């Protein structure tokens, strides 16, 4: 719609915003009318109309099999469009049109914003299935007529009331028509079923909807007065009502003022009891998972503390160092679980974990080594993050212990690059130092060092990636990890 309006019309951005607001709401008019809607806007030179939006009804057959958006028609070809636009009134005169042997009643509704007519809605009703209307259909059509008059008068849609039509109740979910005092004139079967779910034992017709709703909801003191007002339809609002363990219904009130005077309201509603129950279960499940990660983190920190205590009591320097390495390995896993305990799913932003692992390992450096990270790891699944944090710990620990001697200065850089746009992308991680470098004849695939054995097992076995350790271009050592990961979703 934006492209068509900018290309063909003289409407400004505030006018376009009004049309967007209208289009976000007009499924309601289409369903109440049992009709297709096409929005026509005059071109800049005033010689033609361009169709910028189209809506088909959920409550009846369509009148247009084809997409009408983008069509241009000259003035004069559709006199009802001209009359509605020029005179600013709803035009219903004329005989039905025949489209592919289907009779279609056409009406034109001017779209007014303040004192100007921005365009015209062509309402097209398929007459092939017309029958004696029921009370429900009569209520729909009367409500559609009231809304059409409000659109023609510039009183609908309501400014500042952008509605998410995917989440809001629809006409078919349940509809209640109120008079000017908030008394129910008509309630559809679905609407009545929703109120029965709240605990209503009688019919709704003839009862004040606000008072009835407040009685069904748990007592909330002063809030009851606001609920009475909301459910009476005096203002355009969307809200929910919960009746203890019985159920939850979502309501949307639409005041009707076809001639500038409040004559009543439409209340759309649907039963969202099962939806809210599932949401609460998910919230409970998420909270439980986060609590488990929190407890695992605490337990790992306890294990690390015990190992650290045991290391202090060891006489053997080699044994002490082995226990301290174990402390760091346990700590890297604890960092992942701590991060998972703060997220809503089993995916983590790994950059923070990498920075913390880098800082943790740097503390044990015998020299004055500076660590830094470039690039970003991005969001990783927990089953990737946990082994990767251990791999990072082992490689960094190996670089700092064997690459630098006491008092030596240097740097260790961790760089990460995500590549690929498919479901499975690649994560390339390079850990490079400017230390002593590898000993002569060193083979990283066969070295018996425990840390390197852990790295090979995790990278090739658990992560399904590749691992290599080679001399850096100028000085030091470069470790290259190539790991398959799930693509990030933005």
């Amino acid at each position: 719609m934006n492209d068509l309006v900018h290309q063909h019309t003289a409407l400004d951005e505030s006018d376009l915003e009004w049309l967007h607001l209208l289009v976000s709401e007009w499924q309601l008019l289409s369903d109440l009318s049992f009709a297709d809607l096409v929005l026509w806007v005059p071109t800049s030179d005033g010689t033609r109309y361009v169709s910028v939006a189209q809506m088909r009804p959920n409550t009846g057959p369509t009148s247009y099999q084809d997409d009408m958006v983008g069509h241009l028609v000259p003035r004069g070809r559709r006199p009802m469009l001209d009359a509605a636009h020029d005179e600013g009134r709803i035009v219903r005169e004329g005989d039905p049109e025949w489209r592919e042997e289907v009779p279609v009643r056409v009406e034109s509704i001017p779209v007014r914003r303040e004192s100007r007519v921005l365009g015209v809605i062509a309402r097209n009703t398929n007459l092939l299935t017309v029958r004696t209307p029921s009370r429900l259909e009569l209520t729909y059509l009367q409500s559609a007529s009231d809304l059409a008059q409000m659109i023609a008068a510039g009183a609908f849609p309501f400014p500042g009331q952008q509605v998410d039509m995917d989440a809001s109740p629809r006409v078919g979910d349940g509809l209640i028509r109120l008079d000017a005092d908030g008394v129910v004139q008509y309630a559809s079967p679905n609407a009545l079923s929703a109120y029965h779910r709240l605990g209503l034992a009688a019919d709704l017709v003839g009862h004040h909807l606000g008072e009835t709703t407040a009685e069904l909801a748990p007592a909330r003191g002063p809030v009851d007065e606001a609920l009475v007002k909301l459910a009476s339809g005096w203002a355009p609002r969307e809200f929910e009502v919960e009746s203890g363990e019985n159920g939850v219904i979502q309501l949307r009130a639409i005041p009707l003022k076809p001639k500038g005077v409040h004559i009543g309201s439409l209340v759309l509603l649907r039963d969202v009891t099962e939806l809210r129950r599932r949401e609460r279960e998910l919230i409970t499940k998420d909270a439980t998972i986060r609590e488990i990660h929190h407890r695992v983190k605490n337990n790992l920190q306890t294990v690390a503390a015990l190992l650290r205590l045991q290391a202090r009591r060891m006489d053997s320097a080699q044994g002490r160092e082995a226990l301290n390495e174990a402390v760091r390995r346990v700590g890297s896993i604890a960092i992942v679980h701590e991060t998972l305990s703060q997220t809503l799913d089993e995916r983590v932003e790994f950059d923070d974990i990498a920075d913390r692992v880098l800082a943790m390992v740097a503390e044990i450096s015998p020299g004055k080594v500076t660590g830094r990270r470039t690039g970003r790891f991005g969001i990783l699944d927990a089953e990737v993050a946990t082994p990767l944090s251990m791999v990072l710990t082992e490689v960094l620990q190996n670089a700092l212990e064997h690459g630098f001697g006491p008092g030596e200065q240097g740097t260790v850089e961790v760089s990460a690059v995500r590549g690929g746009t498919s479901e499975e992308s690649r994560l390339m991680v390079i850990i490079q130092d400017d230390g002593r470098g590898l000993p002569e004849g060193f083979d990283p695939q066969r070295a018996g060092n425990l840390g390197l054995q852990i790295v090979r097992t995790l990278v090739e076995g658990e992560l399904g990636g590749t691992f290599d350790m080679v001399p850096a271009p100028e000085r030091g050592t470069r470790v290259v990890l190539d790991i398959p990961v799930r693509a990030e979703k933005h």
Side-chain angles (χ1 to χ4, degrees), residues 208-215 217-234 239:
H208 190 279
L209 185 66
E211 295 174 357
T212 301
T213 304
E215 290 172 1
R220 299 176 183 174
V223 180
D224 286 347
E225 297 179 11
L227 182 58
V228 170
K229 202 76 172 176
L230 285 172
S232 299
W234 281 94
F239 56 99

Side-chain angles (χ1 to χ4, degrees), residues 205-268:
V205 176
H207 291 80
H208 190 279
L209 185 66
E211 295 174 357
T212 301
T213 304
E215 290 172 1
L216 294 172
R220 299 176 183 174
V223 180
D224 286 347
E225 297 179 11
L227 182 58
V228 170
K229 202 76 172 176
L230 285 172
S232 299
W234 281 94
R237 293 288 186 272
E238 192 167 312
F239 56 99
E240 287 188 4
V241 175
E242 182 171 358
S243 177
E245 298 296 324
N246 293 330
V248 185
I249 60 173
Q250 182 184 16
L251 300 97
R252 183 190 173 200
I254 303 167
L256 297 175
K257 301 178 181 179
K259 295 181 180 178
V261 178
H262 181 78
I263 65 166
S265 306
L266 275 183
V267 178
L268 305 181

Side-chain angles (χ1 to χ4, degrees), residues 370-445:
T370 302
R372 65 170 179 263
R373 174 180 60 84
T374 60
R376 65 182 298 268
F377 289 83
I379 298 173
L380 298 177
D381 293 332
E383 57 263 30
V384 174
T386 301
L388 182 58
S389 69
M390 288 193 66
V391 168
L392 202 56
T393 300
E394 296 298 333
V395 174
L396 288 170
Q397 187 169 291
N398 190 74
L400 293 173
E401 286 184 355
H402 301 292
F404 303 93
E408 292 183 354
Q409 295 185 348
T411 59
V412 176
E413 180 175 331
V414 178
S415 63
V417 178
R418 293 285 285 264
T421 57
S422 62
E423 279 296 314
E424 185 180 271
S425 64
R426 310 291 299 187
L427 172 62
M428 180 77 71
V429 183
I430 298 175
I431 302 100
Q432 183 168 314
D433 66 70
D434 56 2
R436 301 170 184 168
L438 296 172
E440 191 72 27
F442 180 80
D443 183 358
Q445 302 301 327

Side-chain angles (χ1 to χ4, degrees), residues 163-234:
V163 175
D164 182 0
M165 292 307 297
D166 292 331
S168 293
R170 295 176 180 265
V171 169
D173 294 328
L175 178 142
I176 296 174
R177 174 80 185 222
L178 307 179
D179 65 14
D181 296 322
V183 176
V184 178
Q185 293 180 309
Y186 175 78
S188 71
N190 284 347
L192 195 57
S193 296
Y195 264 82
H196 285 164
R197 183 70 178 265
L198 287 183
L200 180 70
D203 195 357
L204 272 173
V205 176
H207 291 80
H208 190 279
L209 185 66
E211 295 174 357
T212 301
T213 304
E215 290 172 1
L216 294 172
R220 299 176 183 174
V223 180
D224 286 347
E225 297 179 11
L227 182 58
V228 170
K229 202 76 172 176
L230 285 172
S232 299
W234 281 94

Side-chain angles (χ1 to χ4, degrees), residues 58-370:
N58 293 317
T59 52
T62 184
S63 302
Y64 283 113
Q65 297 299 327
D66 300 325
D67 187 2
M68 294 296 297
V69 175
H71 282 220
L72 289 160
V73 297
R75 275 184 66 93
R77 179 174 296 179
R78 300 190 178 184
M80 295 175 70
L81 285 182
D82 298 336
H85 180 266
D86 297 343
E87 300 172 23
R89 66 180 179 89
I90 298 175
V91 180
R92 295 190 175 93
E93 302 86 1
D95 297 326
E97 297 180 3
W98 287 83
R99 300 175 190 160
E100 299 180 358
E101 300 183 355
V102 175
V104 177
R105 182 175 64 243
V106 181
E107 303 165 87
S108 295
I109 305 166
V111 177
R112 185 182 299 277
R113 176 175 178 259
E114 297 174 348
S115 60
R116 298 164 49 237
V117 174
L118 305 183
V120 178
I121 295 176
R123 181 163 54 178
N124 304 267
T125 307
N126 187 325
L127 299 177
L128 200 61
T129 58
V130 168
R131 59 188 184 278
T132 303
S134 64
R135 178 74 187 281
L136 179 143
E137 291 167 327
L138 288 173
T139 303
Y140 277 21
L141 293 171
Q142 180 58 55
S143 301
S145 176
D146 294 335
L147 280 179
Q149 291 183 56
M150 291 171 66
I151 292 173
F156 187 84
F158 303 110
Q161 291 289 324
Q162 187 81 29
V163 175
D164 182 0
M165 292 307 297
D166 292 331
S168 293
R170 295 176 180 265
V171 169
D173 294 328
L175 178 142
I176 296 174
R177 174 80 185 222
L178 307 179
D179 65 14
D181 296 322
V183 176
V184 178
Q185 293 180 309
Y186 175 78
S188 71
N190 284 347
L192 195 57
S193 296
Y195 264 82
H196 285 164
R197 183 70 178 265
L198 287 183
L200 180 70
D203 195 357
L204 272 173
V205 176
H207 291 80
H208 190 279
L209 185 66
E211 295 174 357
T212 301
T213 304
E215 290 172 1
L216 294 172
R220 299 176 183 174
V223 180
D224 286 347
E225 297 179 11
L227 182 58
V228 170
K229 202 76 172 176
L230 285 172
S232 299
W234 281 94
R237 293 288 186 272
E238 192 167 312
F239 56 99
E240 287 188 4
V241 175
E242 182 171 358
S243 177
E245 298 296 324
N246 293 330
V248 185
I249 60 173
Q250 182 184 16
L251 300 97
R252 183 190 173 200
I254 303 167
L256 297 175
K257 301 178 181 179
K259 295 181 180 178
V261 178
H262 181 78
I263 65 166
S265 306
L266 275 183
V267 178
L268 305 181
L269 66 153
R270 65 172 172 173
D271 184 348
V272 293
T273 304
E274 294 304 315
L275 178 63
R276 296 295 176 262
R277 181 185 62 80
R278 287 196 297 270
E279 287 177 352
R280 282 194 288 266
E281 287 179 352
L282 286 174
I283 291 172
T284 303
K285 178 183 176 183
D286 289 340
T288 301
I289 291 173
R290 289 199 297 272
E291 177 62 21
I292 289 172
H293 284 302
H294 181 71
R295 293 188 182 188
V296 169
K297 183 264 295 184
N298 288 344
N299 290 338
L300 288 172
Q301 288 180 336
T302 301
V303 171
L306 292 172
L307 291 173
R308 198 176 294 114
L309 183 63
Q310 184 67 40
R312 293 196 190 103
R313 294 173 176 269
M314 293 279 295
D315 295 328
S316 167
Q318 187 177 3
R320 257 195 321 272
E321 184 55 33
L323 287 176
N324 286 330
E325 287 183 4
V327 167
R328 288 188 286 275
R329 287 165 186 149
V330 172
S332 66
I333 301 174
I335 291 173
V336 176
H337 283 283
E338 182 179 6
T339 306
L340 286 168
S341 71
Q342 299 167 3
T343 63
L344 295 176
D345 55 16
E346 291 293 289
R347 308 194 77 194
V348 295
E349 179 64 63
F350 196 81
D351 294 324
D352 178 58
I353 293 174
D355 291 341
R356 294 175 64 182
V357 168
L358 188 57
M360 178 181 69
V361 175
E363 292 177 358
I364 57 94
S365 173
K368 298 177 181 179
V369 180
T370 302

